[in-house]
């Protein structure tokens, strides 16, 4: 995601009916949105500008089964299926299946997060102690990243920043691991003390800063991508920030969602760190996703996706079934 982006103009709010069913993960390339539906074992493709349904990718050959992560790269859509320990790849332009990856060689174990960078795909396994690296073009397993150098333990999230992958390792007080996407060599491991980490849970970046939510401690840690140094912490005296389960950046705003406390969704100004939007009691089990011009809140329990204006937090549309 780039460091700067213009904010799309506000559009009238409304409601759209699509074939959405217990959405669990969302990704957008700015023009198209793909939503993993755990309720119908399918992936729904929408027009990012209008929210209109373009395609419903479904069928037993895709082996979608509790799909908890989704990513795009070029004309490929990658879907991690946690219940079947598999990864499905299909064409973004046509929905046609390319391949399903599974079996002992991949060492998938409840894949829960996934990122793609420099023709390499990284799949985080649910135990949070190893990452499987794949060739994006062929699907071939390249290596399994694990061991003391990576410090993966209780790892919950990954994010790509330039040519590196960062992970949030939640075990104990926690740590951050940065490794190169091409060589898989560790660039640095940032300790809990140096970055004010307290069991980190999710990550977002604007290319300059890395934001880290913490399960404990009530704050967001802001870290410089260039050197890993702590820049500041972001807090809110009214709303506890411990427990933010997802972070997303769009335009000049950082968004966070808390699935534990009545579906709280917050926005923070990236310059000042001040809370600019508070959306309480609107969501059941929210997770935030974004591209440069859009912010979406995926809500499993209410089986809907809400698009928000990234600058104001106003509801643009509600996408439901």
């Amino acid at each position: 995601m780039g460091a700067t982006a213009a904010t799309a103009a506000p559009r009238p709010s409304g409601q759209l009916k699509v074939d959405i069913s217990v959405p669990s993960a969302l990704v957008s390339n700015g023009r198209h949105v793909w939503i993993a539906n755990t309720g119908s074992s399918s992936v729904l493709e929408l027009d990012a500008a209008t929210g209109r349904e373009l395609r419903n990718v479904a069928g037993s050959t895709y082996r979608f089964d509790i799909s908890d992560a989704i990513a795009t790269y070029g004309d490929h859509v990658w879907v991690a299926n946690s219940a079947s320990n598999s990864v499905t790849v299909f064409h973004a332009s046509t929905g046609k299946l390319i391949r399903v990856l599974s079996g002992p060689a991949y060492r998938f174990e409840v894949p829960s997060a996934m990122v793609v960078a420099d023709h390499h795909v990284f799949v985080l396994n649910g135990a949070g102690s190893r990452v499987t690296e794949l060739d994006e073009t062929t699907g071939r397993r390249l290596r399994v990243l694990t061991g003391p150098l990576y410090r993966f333990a209780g790892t919950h999230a990954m994010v790509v920043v330039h040519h590196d992958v960062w992970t949030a390792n939640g075990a104990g007080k926690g740590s951050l691991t940065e490794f190169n996407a091409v060589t898989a060599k560790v660039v640095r491991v940032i300790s809990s003390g140096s970055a004010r980490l307290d069991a980190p849970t999710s990550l977002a970046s604007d290319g300059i800063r890395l934001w880290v939510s913490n399960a404990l401690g009530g704050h967001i840690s802001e870290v410089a991508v260039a050197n890993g140094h702590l820049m500041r912490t972001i807090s809110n005296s009214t709303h506890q920030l411990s427990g933010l389960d997802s972070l997303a950046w769009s335009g000049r705003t950082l968004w966070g969602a808390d699935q534990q406390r009545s579906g709280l969704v917050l926005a923070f100004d990236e310059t000042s760190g001040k809370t600019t939007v508070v959306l309480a009691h609107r969501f059941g089990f929210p997770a935030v996703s974004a591209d440069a011009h859009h912010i979406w809140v995926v809500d499993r329990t209410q089986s809907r996706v809400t698009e928000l204006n990234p600058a104001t937090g106003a509801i643009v549309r509600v996408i439901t079934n």
Side-chain angles (χ1 to χ4, degrees):
M1 194 174 291
T4 58
T7 301
R11 297 186 295 271
S13 61
Q15 189 171 68
L16 287 176
K17 298 286 187 178
V18 301
D19 292 326
I20 199 165
S21 178
V22 195
S24 56
L26 181 152
V27 68
S28 170
N29 65 6
R31 299 183 308 278
H32 300 271
V33 179
W34 288 270
I35 301 170
N37 284 321
T38 59
S40 58
S41 299
S42 66
V43 172
L44 190 65
E45 180 187 352
L46 308 179
D47 184 288
T50 65
R52 182 173 59 89
E53 183 176 332
L54 300 177
R55 180 180 290 112
N56 195 342
V57 181
S60 59
T61 57
Y62 292 89
R63 291 176 60 185
F64 297 138
D65 194 359
I66 313 297
S67 304
D68 284 333
I70 188 166
T72 61
Y73 196 84
D75 187 46
H76 292 176
V77 178
W78 292 73
V79 184
N81 308 301
S82 62
S84 60
N85 293 324
S86 66
V87 170
T88 303
V89 193
F90 65 87
H91 284 289
S93 56
T94 65
K96 184 179 179 180
L97 179 68
I98 298 173
R99 62 179 63 92
V100 177
L101 309 177
S102 64
Y106 292 98
R107 295 187 65 186
F108 296 144
E109 184 181 4
V110 192
S112 57
M114 184 167 48
V115 295
V116 189
D118 293 325
H119 297 284
H120 294 246
V121 181
F122 300 91
V123 183
L124 173 65
N125 291 283
S129 60
R130 69 174 182 264
V131 172
T132 300
E133 179 186 356
L134 310 171
D135 183 287
E136 198 280 333
T137 304
T138 65
R140 181 172 60 92
R141 193 200 82 179
L142 299 177
R143 55 176 71 91
V144 176
L145 312 182
T146 188
L149 285 179
Y150 292 97
R151 299 271 293 274
F152 298 148
T155 303
H156 297 288
M158 302 186 293
V159 68
V160 174
V161 188
H162 307 307
H163 300 285
D164 291 342
V165 177
W166 291 73
T167 69
N169 314 310
K173 295 288 287 185
S175 63
L176 304 175
T177 301
E178 178 188 3
F179 64 88
N180 183 270
V182 176
T183 66
K185 290 184 177 180
V186 173
V187 177
R188 61 175 60 91
V189 174
I190 300 171
S191 67
S192 58
S194 62
R196 289 282 309 278
L197 305 175
D198 204 341
T201 55
S202 58
L203 301 169
S205 178
D206 65 352
I208 299 172
R209 291 161 286 203
L210 181 76
W211 291 283
V212 187
S213 65
N214 296 281
L216 306 172
H219 67 276
I220 297 171
S221 302
E222 184 176 299
V223 175
V225 167
N227 55 26
H229 292 171
L230 179 69
M231 300 174 69
R232 66 178 171 187
T233 59
I234 298 172
S235 58
N236 183 299
S237 59
T238 304
H239 301 281
Q240 272 288 327
L241 301 189
S242 57
L244 292 180
D245 304 278
S246 62
L247 294 175
W249 174 82
S250 182
R252 295 176 55 84
T253 307
L254 173 70
W255 291 81
D258 186 337
Q259 297 172 350
Q260 309 303 317
R261 287 189 290 272
S262 302
L264 181 67
V265 173
L266 301 168
F268 310 89
D269 181 85
E270 73 165 7
T271 302
S272 67
K274 293 182 178 179
T275 304
T276 57
V277 177
V278 177
L279 300 175
H281 310 297
R282 291 179 180 269
F283 308 103
F285 196 78
V288 288
S289 299
D291 61 30
H293 301 283
H294 307 88
I295 183 77
W296 292 275
V297 182
V298 176
D299 194 330
R300 292 194 193 204
T301 59
Q302 298 184 13
S303 206
R304 68 187 186 189
V305 172
T306 302
E307 182 184 348
L308 305 175
N309 182 294
T312 67
I315 294 176
V316 176
R317 61 176 55 88
V318 176
I319 302 169
T320 187
N321 54 20

